[in-house]
Amino acid sequence: MGKKQSPEFREIVTVVLKLLCILTTISTSVSIQQEGGGAEELISSSPKKWEERVIEVEGGLESIIWIVQLSDLHFSVHHPERALDFKKIVGPALKMINPSLVLITGDLTDGKSKDLLTMKQNEVEWIEYQNVMEDVARRSGLDKRIFYDLRGNHDNFGVPEIGGSSDFFSKYSINGQFGRKGNVNSVTVETGDRKHLFVGLDSTMSTGVRGPTNLFGHPTDQLLAEIDSQLSQWDSQKGKPTTKISFGHFPLSFSALSQSQKSLKDVFLKHSISAYLCGHLHTRFGKNLKRHHLSNENFLSSLEFFQLNMHPKPSESAKNCSSQAPPLKEFWEWEMGDWRKSRAMRIMAVDKGHVSYLDIDFKTGTKTTIVLPTFPLDSRFMLTSSFHQMYECQHMVPLSFETIRCIVFSISPIMSVVARIYDTRPGSPHLIMETTMAKFVRDVSRGDIYAAAWNYKAFEDPSPDRFWLQIEVTDAMGRSTLSELRPFSVNGLNAKISWTWKEFFVMGCQWAALYYPIFWSAIYLMLSILVIPKICLIFSKEQYSYKTSSCEKGLITCIAWGLQDLCRIPVVCFGILGYLIYLISCPWLIGQVFTDSENRGYMTYMGWVVKTVKDSEKHEYIGSPDIMVVVLSHLFSVVIPSILVAGALATERGIYKEHFLSLSRKKEDDDDSSQKNKRSVKYDNQGHGISKFLFVERLFRKILLVACLAICWKHFMNCRVLIKAYEMNPLLHFPVYSLAIPLLLAYAVYKTRSIQ
């Protein structure tokens, strides 16, 4: 018996020694088995500024993986239903989907008071988030280490420094629990013949002030260098191709530039990532919060400030079918809906390098079956330049073109999957192909993948939205589920989608680049309104009046007359001019910007100047361009309307004076007694004209008074928001900001009335 066991014992000892050698070489690498997911991952715990992980997906060489994204949970003590629904819906959904990764892209907690005006951290909300995520991981059967969560701006309200007493993200988040302390974390999902690199980034403010002036992402040069390094980690290794995807909280339209004027977009284009996944904007601005980015070498391109359409106009480039050709510089930015109100979840799949996604709405309840087509791609949201190059260079067309494919998730066995293709050229969709899809047989159950052969060349067409695909799934209970009807183009052409004005406003405008041009344009406009008419009044011989403007009837003449009348009220004119100088050169307000600290900071049009709790070092001008929500709102909703209304009041006074002066000149005595009867009729007509004039004048003045009240009410509401947000007393902490405009308007009303 012992002799039979001795070779086995020696073999065991040999294996153990080999393992010890491997462990010594690799440092502290650990191998774990994903529970119920059929994925093996290697976790590197070497001391780095970022986290690196590799998840090896078992189950064949199909090179298809899928992940789940959730965003903007906003767990709140005032809205417990958000966490309850998340616990009830997300756990079972993840169990059915069984993803390789779960990405939660920011705003984990709400951090707002019941009236939505005070914004700072609430530890009770963070404890609830931790408990809910523990329950979701347990109910889904997924390894908790495949969950990645990120800070959003709400998770950073009033957090003066990372690791401080009010930094609850580091204590209660999943990333914090696993020691992912860096601002950049990467994970690679590897299949038999492809790598899928996911790089997560935290671009929240390093010194987080309270809202509402905490709205933008602030990538630093160091952060951009770390992202660049992580995206290139597999570039030196030949063999398997790599699909690169990044995820964060802020859309690029709400991300500032670094100190060296570099952007996240520059890094993403350099590496030709497939997609950037983000949140932040919710669904209240629209459903098409997506944007296609292309490289543009023109430094003064308008794309630096805004992009009019979801798809920018591509630049003409020569076809390069060489195997050594560099990848085309483009990527998609896909903002997703929020859990807060929309109860949204996204499934994203990468099928042989082709990236597709499906947004699911759980407001109506749980889903029994979900179907995600993975090829052909939706022509509205695919990387058209790369895809079109594959089409033009026929030798580059991979075998992945030869089948229609989809993934089906269901709680019941699937009986049939049918793909249908419609032709819209006749005007209405006409069914031209219907085929049954067969299931791939896999050793590990991670989801059902179905495919059907087709002749893709038969669907080549110069129109990107002529052919449409829909897939129908029938389960064992007889329930039928249809995928969204979506256009496709094997040529790699884009089906165009137009933004609504709200979608363009939040996705098409680069607000970080636009803030200062808009601010200074408004300042110069107001200074011109106040200064130029005053100069003309002093040095010009021509004086505009109601008489000259009514005779010439020119718009410029009427405006010049009104502005000159405003200059004749010096207290208002010089008061507004002094107020503008104050806004440019002095602090606007002094407020409490952190959650617990009593230290106050002051805000200018360039940002906040604050001191941290542990040191006396000043952080000058943080929160720019975040402060634009206060600055531009004040200028465009209060200051500019006040100047216009004050000018209108002055104009109304001038009309009143000119009219009665003209009447007094007409009342000179006439010695000709033969015209007495005619004068009597004439004066009767004048009396009627005076009554009509007084009625119009009083109506116009009442309208101006209502406008004054509306401006004061808007200003009062703005002040109320700031008082609650930064715990201020208007008389102590921002007296000029809060009182100047109402007092100047009141004086303008009084002065124009008293002169009459």
Side-chain angles (χ1 to χ4, degrees):
M1 188 103 177
K3 290 182 180 180
K4 290 181 181 179
Q5 291 179 349
S6 180
E8 295 176 357
F9 179 78
R10 286 197 297 271
E11 184 177 352
I12 292 172
V13 172
T14 302
V15 171
V16 170
L17 290 174
K18 289 181 179 179
L19 288 174
L20 289 174
C21 292
I22 293 172
L23 290 173
T24 303
T25 305
I26 302 180
S27 181
T28 57
S29 295
V30 185
S31 177
I32 70 168
Q33 184 71 27
Q34 179 180 335
E35 298 179 6
E40 181 182 302
E41 59 183 350
L42 298 175
I43 307 173
S44 174
S45 58
S46 55
K48 293 187 178 180
K49 293 181 181 180
W50 50 75
E51 181 81 9
E52 295 179 0
R53 303 177 67 194
V54 177
I55 299 176
E56 296 181 354
V57 177
E58 299 177 357
L61 301 178
E62 292 86 42
S63 286
I64 181 168
I65 63 110
W66 55 91
I67 62 102
V68 163
Q69 180 192 2
L70 294 150
S71 192
D72 297 272
L73 313 186
H74 289 271
F75 287 176
S76 170
V77 294
H78 308 293
H79 299 276
E81 70 280 358
R82 298 172 188 171
L84 292 175
D85 288 348
F86 194 90
K87 183 188 299 186
K88 179 177 67 175
I89 295 173
V90 174
L94 291 178
K95 183 175 183 180
M96 180 177 71
I97 298 169
N98 199 6
S100 297
L101 291 173
V102 179
L103 312 177
I104 308 175
T105 52
D107 282 358
L108 314 179
T109 63
D110 198 40
K112 284 189 176 184
S113 59
K114 191 172 184 179
D115 60 7
L116 307 180
L117 298 181
T118 304
M119 307 177 200
K120 58 183 180 179
Q121 298 305 299
N122 188 328
E123 190 170 9
V124 175
E125 295 176 348
W126 283 101
I127 294 173
E128 181 180 47
Y129 171 75
Q130 183 185 47
N131 294 336
V132 169
M133 294 311 300
E134 292 284 353
D135 184 81
V136 166
R138 178 182 56 81
R139 297 180 67 181
S140 66
L142 299 175
D143 192 313
K144 194 177 176 182
R145 280 171 285 192
I146 71 169
F147 288 75
Y148 281 75
D149 50 13
L150 297 172
R151 278 186 184 88
N153 58 311
H154 282 248
D155 308 316
N156 198 38
F157 283 157
V159 180
E161 52 196 354
I162 303 302
S165 59
S166 57
D167 177 24
F168 299 128
F169 177 89
S170 298
K171 183 177 180 180
Y172 295 107
S173 69
I174 296 174
N175 275 13
Q177 292 171 37
F178 285 107
R180 304 168 189 159
K181 297 182 181 299
N183 290 330
V184 180
N185 293 282
S186 71
V187 57
T188 300
V189 180
E190 186 171 0
T191 60
D193 56 358
R194 178 173 287 272
K195 289 184 174 72
H196 308 83
L197 174 62
F198 294 84
V199 177
L201 59 101
D202 175 6
S203 62
T204 54
M205 300 169 64
S206 57
T207 303
V209 301
R210 296 189 189 185
T213 56
N214 187 339
L215 187 64
F216 281 69
H218 294 264
T220 62
D221 287 316
Q222 180 183 357
L223 178 70
L224 296 179
E226 291 180 9
I227 297 170
D228 183 30
S229 176
Q230 283 296 278
L231 286 173
S232 60
Q233 64 181 271
W234 300 113
D235 291 354
S236 61
Q237 299 186 19
K238 297 182 179 179
K240 295 181 180 180
T242 303
T243 299
K244 300 177 181 180
I245 294 168
S246 187
F247 59 97
H249 178 67
F250 300 96
L252 299 188
S253 56
F254 281 81
S255 293
L257 299 177
S258 69
Q259 189 173 4
S260 62
Q261 300 301 299
K262 294 180 181 179
S263 68
L264 290 169
K265 178 181 176 180
D266 299 331
V267 179
F268 295 158
L269 285 173
K270 174 184 176 181
H271 292 276
S272 300
I273 69 172
S274 295
Y276 171 60
L277 310 178
C278 59
H280 188 52
L281 296 178
H282 303 195
T283 55
R284 64 177 176 270
F285 295 105
K287 297 289 186 180
N288 291 316
L289 301 182
K290 288 90 180 173
R291 182 175 175 180
H292 186 208
H293 295 269
L294 286 173
S295 178
N296 194 310
E297 303 299 332
N298 186 1
F299 178 75
L300 296 177
S301 170
S302 62
L303 294 179
E304 298 296 326
F305 297 97
F306 55 85
Q307 180 174 308
L308 294 177
N309 296 304
M310 185 184 300
H311 303 280
K313 185 178 180 180
S315 57
E316 298 294 331
S317 58
K319 181 172 66 175
N320 188 351
C321 295
S322 170
S323 59
Q324 302 299 322
L328 296 172
K329 295 182 178 181
E330 63 172 338
F331 70 93
W332 267 101
E333 178 184 0
W334 289 330
E335 202 271 356
M336 77 160 292
D338 58 286
W339 181 266
R340 178 177 177 263
K341 286 188 176 181
S342 302
R343 301 296 190 263
M345 173 190 285
R346 171 175 290 167
I347 306 175
M348 192 194 73
V350 185
D351 182 357
K352 296 179 174 63
H354 303 301
V355 183
S356 56
Y357 70 91
L358 174 67
D359 287 339
I360 306 167
D361 182 358
F362 283 107
K363 283 191 296 185
T364 57
T366 58
K367 309 297 180 184
T368 57
T369 301
I370 301 171
V371 53
L372 170 57
T374 61
F375 195 85
L377 296 176
D378 190 329
S379 59
R380 298 168 296 183
F381 308 116
M382 66 180 183
L383 293 173
T384 51
S385 299
S386 305
F387 202 97
H388 189 61
Q389 186 181 51
M390 288 183 182
Y391 166 75
E392 288 193 334
C393 305
Q394 290 296 317
H395 67 275
M396 294 177 65
V397 176
L399 296 177
S400 62
F401 279 56
E402 296 179 352
T403 56
I404 302 171
R405 297 181 298 280
C406 72
I407 313 172
V408 178
F409 312 100
S410 181
I411 61 175
S412 301
I414 301 302
M415 303 307 295
S416 69
V417 180
V418 178
R420 298 185 180 94
I421 295 178
Y422 296 87
D423 186 356
T424 60
R425 173 167 288 184
S428 58
H430 175 67
L431 181 64
I432 59 173
M433 176 180 169
E434 181 174 317
T435 181
T436 301
M437 304 180 73
K439 179 182 176 182
F440 273 113
V441 178
R442 297 168 61 98
D443 297 331
V444 179
S445 176
R446 295 189 60 251
D448 294 338
I449 303 172
Y450 288 82
W454 70 327
N455 179 17
Y456 69 89
K457 293 185 178 181
F459 298 95
E460 295 176 351
D461 193 85
S463 173
D465 55 1
R466 175 183 174 182
F467 299 110
W468 293 65
L469 172 69
Q470 188 171 52
I471 296 174
E472 181 179 12
V473 177
T474 305
D475 63 13
M477 303 292 292
R479 294 173 295 203
S480 176
T481 302
L482 292 172
S483 69
E484 178 192 11
L485 194 63
R486 57 174 64 184
F488 67 89
S489 171
V490 296
N491 307 45
L493 302 175
N494 259 133
K496 302 299 182 183
I497 300 180
S498 297
W499 277 325
T500 64
W501 71 268
K502 288 195 296 184
E503 291 167 345
F504 165 74
F505 188 77
V506 296
M507 287 296 290
C509 297
Q510 293 298 129
W511 289 109
L514 287 170
Y515 168 55
Y516 281 115
I518 293 175
F519 173 79
W520 285 113
S521 297
I523 293 294
Y524 290 143
L525 172 64
M526 290 183 286
L527 290 175
S528 301
I529 291 174
L530 296 171
V531 174
I532 293 177
K534 188 67 175 177
I535 295 175
C536 294
L537 192 64
I538 296 173
F539 296 102
S540 176
K541 295 181 179 180
E542 182 178 6
Q543 301 294 317
Y544 292 100
S545 65
Y546 171 70
K547 183 177 180 180
T548 58
S549 63
S550 61
C551 292
E552 298 179 14
K553 295 183 179 179
L555 177 62
I556 297 178
T557 305
C558 292
I559 293 176
W561 163 54
L563 295 179
Q564 282 195 355
D565 273 352
L566 176 61
C567 294
R568 292 188 176 96
I569 311 178
V571 173
V572 176
C573 182
F574 287 107
I576 296 177
L577 185 62
Y579 184 64
L580 292 180
I581 296 173
Y582 170 84
L583 294 180
I584 296 172
S585 58
C586 300
W588 289 33
L589 49 91
I590 301 172
Q592 187 170 321
V593 294
F594 299 134
T595 297
D596 298 323
S597 172
E598 295 298 327
N599 292 337
R600 291 185 176 270
Y602 63 85
M603 193 200 84
T604 73
Y605 76 92
M606 293 185 290
W608 285 93
V609 178
V610 299
K611 291 182 180 180
T612 56
V613 182
K614 292 185 178 180
D615 56 60
S616 59
E617 180 185 356
K618 281 188 178 181
H619 297 264
E620 294 191 355
Y621 304 131
I622 63 173
S624 177
D626 308 66
I627 43 91
M628 69 186 298
V629 297
V630 174
V631 173
L632 296 187
S633 174
H634 183 59
L635 294 183
F636 286 98
S637 67
V638 177
V639 183
I640 293 179
S642 297
I643 295 175
L644 297 178
V645 170
L649 286 168
T651 302
E652 181 263 344
R653 179 198 63 171
I655 294 174
Y656 187 92
K657 288 178 61 178
E658 288 283 347
H659 183 76
F660 279 93
L661 286 174
S662 65
L663 287 179
S664 64
R665 286 192 294 267
K666 292 178 182 180
K667 293 182 178 179
E668 296 178 354
D669 293 334
D670 191 345
D671 295 333
D672 190 354
S673 60
S674 62
Q675 301 295 326
K676 185 177 293 185
N677 293 333
K678 292 183 178 180
R679 286 202 308 270
S680 178
V681 175
K682 184 177 179 180
Y683 292 153
D684 289 342
N685 291 334
Q686 287 180 355
H688 177 72
I690 292 173
S691 299
K692 184 177 180 181
F693 171 80
L694 289 175
F695 173 78
V696 174
E697 187 271 341
R698 288 169 182 168
L699 178 62
F700 183 55
R701 185 171 182 83
K702 288 178 180 177
I703 293 173
L704 293 179
L705 292 177
V706 171
C708 289
L709 291 175
I711 293 170
C712 291
W713 175 255
K714 174 63 178 174
H715 183 56
F716 168 77
M717 296 304 294
N718 289 346
C719 291
R720 177 175 176 267
V721 169
L722 295 174
I723 290 169
K724 295 282 288 185
Y726 302 111
E727 300 182 24
M728 298 184 296
N729 184 316
L731 299 179
L732 295 177
H733 300 122
F734 60 125
V736 178
Y737 175 93
S738 60
L739 299 178
I741 291 297
L743 291 177
L744 288 171
L745 280 178
Y747 183 83
V749 172
Y750 166 76
K751 193 66 176 176
T752 54
R753 187 62 177 174
S754 63
I755 290 178
Q756 291 179 18

